[in-house]
Amino acid sequence: MRTLTIAALQTRPVAHDLDGSWQRFAEQVRAAAQLFPGLQLVVVPELLLAAEAPLLRGRPGWTAEAAVPVPGPLTDRICALAVETGLWLVPGSLFERTEDGTVHNTAIAVSPAGEIVARYRKIFPWQPYEDTAPGDEFVVFDIPGVARVGLAICYDGSFPETVRQLAWLGAEVILQPTLTTTRDREMELVCARANAWTNQVYVVNVNASDPAGVGGSVVVDPEGIVRQQAGTGEEILVDVLDLDTVTRVRRSGSSGLNRPWAQLARYGERIELPMYGGTFRTPDWVEKE
């Protein structure tokens, strides 16, 4: 049995206080490691370590002020914390400043060995409100012997192409740090379930808690069923994801009925996709019939 024990920390930053936000994050990660034996991975909300403020308390220029290089001093601290706790860490997302001065909204994954194994720049920033530059590459990473994991950030989930592409790349779990302060959270929850069901993956969407966000973090299984959903305050969602469930659902169908990947493998290459200028290509992991 392949299992991944996760903790999704629905928490909040200390607004416009980078050091204070780091201290809260580090303390919470250490507490989770101590409280939950067998824990393997911790994921937290979008821009937690960028100390983003609630929507109506935004400060002009904060994005540039909070932006950091990746790798750099902040990621060094994250890597050291991963080694200390023995955990995989997906520390929400950061404002990443590149060498040419471009700023991206970037999620990283850090292994228990303290290595940055994945860096994903948000492809669909929440425009016109978010002023970071979009990335151009979907990213997955492997937890050896356990699972392939895809990274998405907040508004990415509103575009079906995101999770479809990550699943096509072999992802079985999608980690989606989120910072939603508005009432469209209900639509995001619909998307989380739809993305999980249509791609037969786990979706872990972890939002910020009140007052930074409106909460409602969820863990959704590969059949689109909500395993856990948080309220609005600070919570921790701990779950053991059975990755063999992904294999079973893809092989036998959601509810034993629906096998979209097998059908795409059967007919996809015949289907013209004018929007993308091509056809569907069968991923390597699909079993041929």
Side-chain angles (χ1 to χ4, degrees):
M1 179 181 293
R2 295 181 300 133
T3 60
L4 176 64
T5 303
I6 64 157
L9 306 185
Q10 179 172 286
T11 185
R12 58 180 175 80
V14 182
H16 296 146
D17 184 342
L18 296 170
D19 191 60
S21 295
W22 165 260
Q23 293 300 331
R24 288 191 94 243
F25 165 74
E27 289 169 3
Q28 290 174 337
V29 169
R30 292 182 180 114
Q34 292 176 349
L35 284 170
F36 303 107
L39 184 63
Q40 294 166 278
L41 183 147
V42 171
V43 56
V44 300
E46 178 185 18
L47 297 176
L48 183 77
L49 294 179
E52 189 65 280
L55 188 63
L56 296 180
R57 289 178 53 197
R59 194 160 84 193
W62 180 251
T63 297
E65 190 174 341
V68 297
V70 177
L74 177 57
T75 61
D76 288 347
R77 297 174 89 179
I78 297 167
C79 291
L81 182 63
V83 172
E84 175 192 335
T85 58
L87 295 172
W88 289 83
L89 297 180
V90 177
S93 66
L94 316 169
F95 287 131
E96 176 198 7
R97 186 191 308 280
T98 65
E99 290 183 0
D100 66 3
T102 302
V103 176
H104 296 280
N105 185 343
T106 299
I108 63 171
V110 177
S111 76
E115 299 175 346
I116 299 174
V117 298
R119 175 171 59 182
Y120 167 67
R121 294 167 174 166
K122 188 176 183 179
I123 287 178
F124 297 109
W126 188 42
Q127 296 177 346
Y129 311 101
E130 189 176 344
D131 58 3
T132 53
D136 58 9
E137 182 182 9
F138 294 102
V139 174
V140 297
F141 67 95
D142 289 320
I143 297 179
V146 177
R148 176 163 288 185
V149 179
L151 295 174
I153 302 173
C154 200
Y155 196 47
D156 286 330
S158 297
F159 295 81
E161 294 83 356
T162 300
V163 178
R164 174 53 52 90
Q165 180 65 48
L166 292 171
W168 189 92
L169 290 169
E172 300 165 291
V173 179
I174 309 299
L175 301 179
Q176 186 183 2
T178 297
L179 176 56
T180 297
T181 62
T182 48
R183 294 322 316 165
D184 57 346
R185 181 62 181 160
E186 288 300 320
M187 289 179 279
E188 292 179 344
L189 296 175
V190 169
C191 288
R193 294 190 66 185
N195 287 330
W197 181 80
T198 56
N199 295 291
Q200 298 175 313
V201 294
Y202 285 98
V203 171
V204 181
N205 179 304
V206 55
N207 193 21
S209 65
D210 182 47
V214 296
S217 299
V218 288
V219 179
V220 186
D221 81 0
E223 296 181 272
I225 299 168
V226 176
R227 291 175 58 84
Q228 299 189 47
Q229 181 168 344
T232 60
E234 287 200 318
E235 291 191 42
I236 179 169
L237 303 183
V238 176
D239 207 344
V240 180
L241 308 184
D242 180 358
L243 281 308
D244 290 332
T245 296
V246 177
T247 304
R248 172 184 60 78
V249 170
R250 288 177 174 174
R251 179 175 295 140
S252 302
S254 302
S255 302
L257 300 170
N258 302 298
R259 300 173 58 214
W261 286 107
Q263 188 159 338
L264 284 169
R266 191 178 304 120
Y267 302 120
E269 292 181 358
R270 309 179 200 170
I271 301 168
E272 294 294 330
L273 300 172
M275 179 178 179
Y276 305 111
T279 63
F280 179 84
R281 292 173 51 221
T282 302
D284 295 337
W285 53 264
V286 169
E287 295 179 4
K288 304 291 184 179
E289 295 182 346

